[in-house]
Amino acid sequence: MLSMNTYPKEYIDECRSKINQQLSAYKNLVEAGSNNEQLNTAFEVFELHFFNHMVLALDHYFCHRSRTIEKKDGNPLNEVRMLCNSIMEHENKLTVEKSIKYKPEKSVLKIEIGDEIKLTVKDFELLSKAFLDEMESKFLG
């Protein structure tokens, strides 16, 4: 498939809605089990796996986005790309992408190169919002 230079607003809104539905379902599940210590412990472990994989889903909605339009300046689109590659290929350790000018202090999550990727619900909320806002900014057609 050729790279995408634009996405319709309706598509971006649908993706945002799907992400928000997953966040809401997760929060409802955690709240329902909040009085059970054993469930709380299980949710803490599950959260890290779930949100690492939610980053993969977020990226996949826009996997054909043009890298030329995305740019390589360390923006949230680059951060998600790096996180996905690191999760899939480097056992959840953030690795550098030579073509991306990544600076942890300017990133959404402030993860250092070499750190283990362990996303929480709050991390994913911040990242997905920044990512989708950046998609609208650069790719809205």
Side-chain angles (χ1 to χ4, degrees):
M1 172 176 238
L2 297 174
S3 67
M4 300 282 291
N5 293 327
T6 62
Y7 288 90
K9 177 156 180 42
E10 296 79 21
Y11 179 76
I12 296 172
D13 289 346
E14 286 173 25
C15 294
R16 189 182 300 270
S17 176
K18 289 174 185 177
I19 293 296
N20 288 335
Q21 288 170 15
Q22 288 290 321
L23 283 165
S24 180
Y26 175 82
K27 288 177 181 180
N28 289 339
L29 185 62
V30 169
E31 186 176 325
S34 64
N35 293 327
N36 183 316
E37 189 175 320
Q38 191 174 12
L39 275 178
N40 284 330
T41 301
F43 287 139
E44 288 175 13
V45 173
F46 176 73
E47 179 178 44
L48 305 177
H49 298 288
F50 181 69
F51 287 108
N52 279 11
H53 280 83
M54 282 297 295
V55 172
L56 301 177
L58 176 65
D59 182 66
H60 194 69
Y61 288 133
F62 304 98
C63 66
H64 298 293
R65 65 187 181 271
S66 166
R67 287 192 179 210
T68 303
I69 295 171
E70 178 179 324
K71 302 199 184 228
K72 300 174 184 179
D73 58 357
N75 64 61
L77 306 179
N78 300 159
E79 188 170 351
V80 166
R81 185 179 300 280
M82 288 177 60
L83 287 166
C84 287
N85 290 339
S86 298
I87 289 166
M88 292 188 304
E89 300 171 10
H90 301 284
E91 299 181 19
N92 297 321
K93 299 278 188 214
L94 187 62
T95 55
V96 69
E97 301 254 339
K98 293 178 183 176
S99 64
I100 294 174
K101 296 175 183 147
Y102 178 76
K103 294 184 179 173
E105 66 277 5
K106 292 186 178 182
S107 69
V108 176
L109 299 179
K110 315 289 188 239
I111 299 174
E112 298 281 341
I113 300 298
D115 284 355
E116 185 174 358
I117 300 164
K118 300 185 289 188
L119 302 185
T120 64
V121 63
K122 289 179 184 178
D123 293 335
F124 185 75
E125 285 176 315
L126 286 171
L127 184 64
S128 62
K129 180 180 181 336
F131 177 89
L132 291 164
D133 289 350
E134 190 81 6
M135 283 301 303
E136 285 184 346
S137 168
K138 291 185 173 173
F139 287 91
L140 194 59

